[in-house]
Amino acid sequence: MAAAAAAAAAFSSSSSSSVLRPGLAPLRRWRALSHPAPRPAYGTSSSPRSAASDEATIISGTKLAKQVLKEVQRDVESWISCGNKRPHLTVILVGDNPASHIYVRNKIKAAAAVGISSEIILRPKDISQEELLDMTVKLNKDSTVSGLLVQLPLPDHIDERTVCNAIAPEKDVDGFHILNIGRLCLDQPSVIPATAAAVWEIIKRTGIQTFGKNVVVAGRSKNVGMPISMLLHTDGEHERPGGDATVTITHRYTPKEQLKIHTQLADIVIVAAGIPKLITTDMVKEGAAVIDVGINHIHDPLTGKTKLVGDVDFEEVKKKAGFITPVPGGVGPMTVAMLLKNTLIVAKKLIY
């Protein structure tokens, strides 16, 4: 135990003080912006469980997002005061998906709050792929646009991967371009997909230990599950520091009995499968951290309305977990905050 504690302390010290290769000033600035100095643990340091209720510490993504947004606002003001132009985010929104419109409005509202200018370009759901690609190319060349994203999902007749790859990697605030994904997988500085960045930031700011820990990621999507796994398992000494955890990736074809075996051994369970109540209390180890990325709209028979729930049986699992994120109010607000942090990173050209 003493050796493990010493190793963890050494990791924490070296990962916070290491720098990139000499001569790479933009990358050093990227790392300083992307990986701030360690913060005090969220809640009590002795035990994550609430002494009053003997339940998990509920991680407020809303509270943490306010911290991030305050930092972004400060950095935007500093950037502008040095004579640089205000960062500008352009969002292309295709079709009339109600959820997408809500997400985009939240992004625009948050951008305004931190001093980032923004615009929404609305296009009908029957827009051709060629027209959408042409629009993307023009915005890539527009010097007034710092960051660009096309809100997903797109209509079935449009190939999302083709569109994501059409966005210039240096403007790709979503981090979905093949070059950014490739750099992420190689532990190099990159624009990190906002939801994955949100999960990683929640873990770091909450003080949840990842060094040498067992992690299960339920969900293997290339936009969420995969980048989260990359962030958590990679070397904390690399250019893009990772969590040095042992990560198991499960997915829709993992039998429930096998999933339970993996999650019962996990110190951290991250769920991004889109299946309500996939994770139940019997699947969670006592004191484990549970991060719920699920977004599910279900009908509430008691009220007759639709409500938003995650992938975790929250009310039951919180009685056993050490930390847990709620839905809503968990990963969602942090995702918006990290998107704006990405917008500042690309505006300052800290990577490319």
Side-chain angles (χ1 to χ4, degrees), residues 193-273:
T195 302
V199 171
W200 184 217
E201 197 73 12
I202 286 171
I203 287 172
K204 290 188 293 182
R205 291 183 183 243
T206 305
I208 297 170
Q209 297 300 308
T210 60
F211 185 83
K213 301 297 184 179
N214 288 323
V215 178
V216 167
V217 178
R220 60 180 177 182
S221 74
K222 299 303 178 282
N223 297 341
V224 180
M226 185 276 288
I228 288 173
S229 302
M230 287 293 161
L231 290 169
L232 286 170
H233 93 271
T234 49
D235 195 330
E237 294 297 322
H238 284 179
E239 287 183 328
R240 193 269 300 143
D244 283 306
T246 300
V247 178
T248 300
I249 304 174
T250 64
H251 48 78
R252 70 178 68 182
Y253 298 123
T254 303
K256 189 68 177 283
E257 304 77 33
Q258 292 296 319
L259 175 61
K260 182 177 179 178
I261 291 172
H262 292 302
T263 56
Q264 286 179 332
L265 295 173
D267 302 294
I268 303 172
V269 179
I270 300 168
V271 201

Side-chain angles (χ1 to χ4, degrees), residues 78-218:
S78 175
W79 176 249
I80 295 172
S81 68
C82 292
N84 300 292
K85 67 180 181 180
R86 186 177 300 277
H88 180 84
L89 174 65
T90 296
V91 182
I92 300 176
L93 178 55
V94 178
D96 50 10
N97 183 311
S100 292
H101 279 256
I102 292 173
Y103 299 150
V104 169
R105 285 200 301 269
N106 289 341
K107 294 170 184 176
I108 298 302
K109 181 179 179 181
V114 299
I116 294 176
S117 63
S118 60
E119 65 176 329
I120 304 174
I121 300 177
L122 296 173
R123 288 295 179 267
K125 63 182 179 180
D126 59 353
I127 185 176
S128 69
Q129 179 167 301
E130 290 71 23
E131 184 180 351
L132 183 57
L133 292 174
D134 287 343
M135 181 186 309
T136 302
V137 171
K138 290 178 181 177
L139 291 168
N140 286 339
K141 297 177 180 179
D142 188 341
S143 61
T144 66
V145 176
S146 308
L148 173 62
L149 72 84
V150 177
Q151 182 65 38
L152 303 180
L154 291 170
D156 292 340
H157 67 280
I158 297 176
D159 182 69
E160 290 185 353
R161 174 46 50 197
T162 299
V163 173
C164 290
N165 287 341
I167 297 173
E170 66 272 16
K171 293 189 176 185
D172 172 33
V173 293
D174 261 339
F176 293 162
H177 189 281
I178 191 171
L179 187 56
N180 281 318
I181 291 294
R183 292 175 69 95
L184 173 69
C185 292
L186 292 173
D187 305 340
Q188 296 178 352
S190 65
V191 182
I192 298 171
T195 302
V199 171
W200 184 217
E201 197 73 12
I202 286 171
I203 287 172
K204 290 188 293 182
R205 291 183 183 243
T206 305
I208 297 170
Q209 297 300 308
T210 60
F211 185 83
K213 301 297 184 179
N214 288 323
V215 178
V216 167
V217 178

Side-chain angles (χ1 to χ4, degrees), residues 56-69:
T57 293
I58 298 174
I59 302 171
S60 171
T62 302
K63 179 179 177 180
L64 293 177
K66 287 179 180 178
Q67 293 178 7
V68 175
L69 292 173

Side-chain angles (χ1 to χ4, degrees), residues 277 298-307 309 315:
K277 294 189 177 182
I298 65 171
H299 178 72
D300 186 347
L302 296 178
T303 64
K305 299 179 180 180
T306 298
K307 66 177 182 178
V309 300
E315 292 300 326

Side-chain angles (χ1 to χ4, degrees), residues 310-322:
D311 292 351
V312 175
D313 187 350
F314 179 80
E315 292 300 326
E316 292 301 317
V317 172
K318 74 176 183 180
K319 299 175 183 177
K320 192 174 183 182

